[in-house]
Amino acid sequence: MNLENQSNQKLILNIVTLVKSERKITLEILEYLREIDIRKSYAELGYSSLFEFTTKYLRYSESAAGRRIAAMRLIKSATAETTTLIQNGEITLSNLSM
């Protein structure tokens, strides 16, 4: 990827778009983890827990897996408002998992 020829304005515009996409994708990942947890789909692959699946199969670090699982479990019972806060970047996975 060559960013050297892009104007500052284009760089800023693109990073804002990418961050919005990242937040949307993060929410989708949490929804997938929720469904995998509900179905215990990880067991079919020989993993004893969602944490083991996320660290060994998906290759998240232990801290990243823990944050995602904690956030996913909170979101299960969260309101649409909480989901909107995540999507807008008003609350992070780290804050949510605490």
Side-chain angles (χ1 to χ4, degrees), residues 3 5 13 17 19 28 44 57 61 72 74 85 92-94:
L3 302 176
N5 296 330
L13 181 63
T17 301
V19 168
E28 289 178 25
E44 292 178 14
Y57 191 79
S61 68
M72 174 271 299
L74 182 61
L85 290 173
T92 65
L93 281 182
S94 296

Side-chain angles (χ1 to χ4, degrees), residues 3-95:
L3 302 176
E4 294 173 3
N5 296 330
Q6 288 190 15
S7 68
N8 287 344
Q9 184 179 11
K10 184 72 170 166
L11 281 172
I12 299 300
L13 181 63
N14 286 345
I15 193 72
V16 168
T17 301
L18 288 170
V19 168
K20 286 179 183 178
S21 295
E22 180 182 36
R23 289 183 185 131
K24 182 176 186 257
I25 289 168
T26 298
L27 283 172
E28 289 178 25
I29 288 170
L30 296 179
E31 290 172 9
Y32 271 84
L33 288 175
R34 178 178 168 251
E35 191 62 28
I36 288 168
D37 192 37
I38 289 168
R39 295 183 191 190
K40 308 241 182 286
S41 302
Y42 52 82
E44 292 178 14
L45 298 173
Y47 297 102
S48 62
S49 66
L50 182 61
F51 182 79
E52 184 181 21
F53 170 76
T54 56
T55 55
K56 293 184 178 175
Y57 191 79
L58 298 179
R59 299 184 181 199
Y60 280 112
S61 68
E62 289 184 2
S63 59
R67 282 191 304 273
R68 280 160 182 76
I69 291 168
M72 174 271 299
R73 291 191 173 138
L74 182 61
I75 287 175
K76 270 197 232 184
S77 60
T79 63
E81 182 180 341
T82 303
T83 303
T84 301
L85 290 173
I86 296 166
Q87 201 164 18
N88 292 338
E90 296 175 46
I91 188 168
T92 65
L93 281 182
S94 296
N95 289 337

